[in-house]
Amino acid sequence: MEKIVSPKNDRIKNWSKLKTKKYRDKMNLYILENWHLIKEAINYNQAVETLLFTENQYKLHHNEIQNIEAYEVIIISEEIALKLGSTKTPQGAFAIVKLPHTNSIIDNEIINGKWLLLDNVQDPGNIGTMIRTADAAGMNGVVFGDGTSDIFNSKVLRSMQGSNFHIKIIKYDLNSWVDTCNNLSIPVYGSELNPQAVDYNSIKSSDCFSLIMGNEGNGMQKSLLAKTTNNLYIPIKGNAESLNVAVAAGILMFSLCK
């Protein structure tokens, strides 16, 4: 088993560059940290190439990996863990994983389901919460539209807690997606409060729909708003002016998926 102790090692320097989208795209790889996420990636047959552990983490977890000989396993120093990690106190467990194909060709079979569409959503915590909620609610998947934070950003990966391995994650143009839905008579629900919006309680649950959640500050694109079947609002009974986008998405998804 290989052991690397110097942060100046060429492989370590290259892997540390995977913290940026530019190098993830260039190398067709991303870095996953935290044992829970690594275990989920292995259990859900992600293309894990290399596992890196500090000695303590290897002792804790190597017995949990079936067919460990199928992976390249490297023991690393605590100094390297600090270089590869995205937090001040990294756990010391990392995986180098091939990027999956997230730009899918959309056909009737794919789009005919329950989908959450993210329109220019920026906050990694909101994105992760919505994906975990989509997973819990029984959605088919989540579509990342233009302007939405990168799926493989370390903060987004942490906040998704592995739910991205359980449901489909697609990067796609939302206007094209909605046009296809409209051509197939699949309902598309917006989430912006306006005079035409309807109470979400008036919408029946369905096995086939798309729900769009917009930017935290600016809401949905006007071009998308013009194409929705209905815009939904959640009645607020107290004095709060609005709901966090992830909270609103959770209420709407569970209601639409009854």
Side-chain angles (χ1 to χ4, degrees), residues 166-185:
H166 308 161
I167 59 177
K168 293 174 182 170
I169 307 291
I170 292 174
K171 184 170 176 58
Y172 203 75
D173 177 74
L174 297 190
N175 278 286
S176 296
W177 181 282
V178 172
D179 287 342
T180 302
C181 286
N182 288 336
N183 290 336
L184 296 171
S185 298

Side-chain angles (χ1 to χ4, degrees), residues 191-237:
S191 53
E192 181 162 300
L193 179 60
N194 59 35
Q196 291 75 42
V198 300
D199 187 331
Y200 81 100
N201 289 298
S202 68
I203 303 297
K204 292 182 179 180
S205 59
S206 171
D207 289 329
C208 188
F209 64 87
S210 285
L211 169 67
I212 308 171
M213 302 305 298
N215 177 268
E216 289 90 342
N218 300 318
M220 291 169 50
Q221 296 177 53
K222 300 302 181 189
S223 60
L224 291 173
L225 276 171
K227 299 175 182 178
T228 57
T229 309
N230 290 111
N231 287 321
L232 310 181
Y233 73 89
I234 300 168
I236 293 177
K237 298 179 180 179

Side-chain angles (χ1 to χ4, degrees), residues 9-47:
N9 177 279
D10 286 341
R11 297 186 80 191
I12 299 301
K13 288 194 288 186
N14 282 331
W15 286 330
S16 69
K17 293 177 182 177
L18 296 176
K19 294 177 185 179
T20 67
K21 185 178 187 306
K22 173 183 175 181
Y23 280 95
R24 289 193 291 270
D25 292 342
K26 181 179 179 180
M27 299 168 70
N28 197 36
L29 297 169
Y30 72 99
I31 187 166
L32 195 59
E33 58 181 299
N34 183 298
W35 172 242
H36 168 72
L37 300 185
I38 294 167
K39 188 175 180 180
E40 286 293 284
I42 290 171
N43 289 342
Y44 284 86
N45 300 313
Q46 300 302 298

Side-chain angles (χ1 to χ4, degrees), residues 114-131:
K114 296 173 285 190
W115 289 89
L116 175 66
L117 279 51
L118 304 184
D119 177 26
N120 198 30
V121 180
Q122 298 287 302
D123 183 79
N126 284 336
I127 293 170
T129 299
M130 285 191 278
I131 288 174

